Amino acid sequence: MTVILGLTGSIATGKSTVSKIFKEQGFPVVDADLGAREVVKPGTEGLCEIKKQFGDDVILSDGTLNRAALGKIVFKDEKQREKLNVILSKRIYQWLMDQKEECLKRDPAILVLDIPLLFEAGYEKEVDQVMVVATTKETQINRLMNRDKIGIEEAIQKINSQIPISEKIVLGDSVIDNSGSTENTKQQVIDWIDKITAK
């Protein structure tokens, strides 16, 4: 019986690191971020809807989505963010469920659904357990500033657009503390895998 794990965190808490560890250990990972890119490829209904809603400025000259331009609009304005969510959420959900069914055919011991906005979008109903990747807010801000080459105000704005990590920790079934070294994080994940697969 496959254990379906919902993997989440907040922006720059290191969820991708944990996702990579699961892949290295041989478990399938369905990545919602990949789904979000797939459903807005040129020629998709998703991209047409975005263009209609947000205008030509969010489309690059090669016909692909201008993520930076769209990000500037939605991170500053909750109403615009909601409009984007309406366009994307159903399409991403369908993509994730299709991928999940494909992976389940192979009957893995653990199937990971890597979903950044798991609680925000109500995906906890689709999984057996939720793992939250957490770190301190200070580490989160620093990582985000370095990763996206942005200032502290913009970093805080991005972090505040999601449910606080402290709330996600309470809602989750297990927590991976990603404040230390990658080795430390890896050991926590392997310990969790051992516990689940020993049942």
Side-chain angles (χ1 to χ4, degrees), residues 44-95:
T44 59
E45 277 180 21
L47 190 63
C48 289
E49 282 284 313
I50 288 171
K51 187 178 175 180
K52 207 186 292 177
Q53 183 67 59
F54 298 99
D56 293 343
D57 290 348
V58 298
I59 308 294
L60 292 166
S61 55
D62 64 357
T64 59
L65 181 64
N66 184 337
R67 293 179 180 279
L70 184 60
K72 280 201 173 111
I73 296 167
V74 299
F75 273 119
K76 284 185 185 138
D77 187 333
E78 200 174 327
K79 282 200 173 75
Q80 297 285 21
R81 196 157 63 240
E82 279 169 16
K83 284 176 187 172
L84 180 64
N85 283 340
V86 168
I87 294 168
L88 295 181
S89 56
K90 277 189 239 162
R91 292 177 171 91
I92 294 169
Y93 175 83
Q94 195 52 58
W95 184 90

Side-chain angles (χ1 to χ4, degrees), residues 2-10 15-16 18-20 22-23 27-36 92-106 108-133 168 173-174 192:
T2 302
V3 173
I4 299 171
L5 176 70
L7 176 65
T8 195
S10 283
K15 183 182 55 59
S16 302
V18 173
S19 185
K20 196 171 153 208
F22 274 106
K23 284 179 198 162
F27 298 104
V29 175
V30 177
D31 183 352
D33 279 346
L34 179 60
I92 294 169
Y93 175 83
Q94 195 52 58
W95 184 90
L96 275 167
M97 294 305 108
D98 291 347
Q99 296 293 315
K100 181 175 99 169
E101 290 312 312
E102 274 304 306
C103 290
L104 286 174
K105 287 175 186 172
R106 302 198 293 275
I110 299 163
L111 167 59
V112 181
L113 300 186
D114 178 344
I115 308 174
L117 301 176
L118 184 141
F119 292 116
E120 288 89 339
Y123 278 100
E124 63 272 26
K125 299 186 288 288
E126 304 292 344
V127 299
D128 300 316
Q129 288 199 34
V130 175
M131 176 182 280
V132 179
V133 184
K168 292 185 180 185
D173 299 292
S174 55
W192 183 89

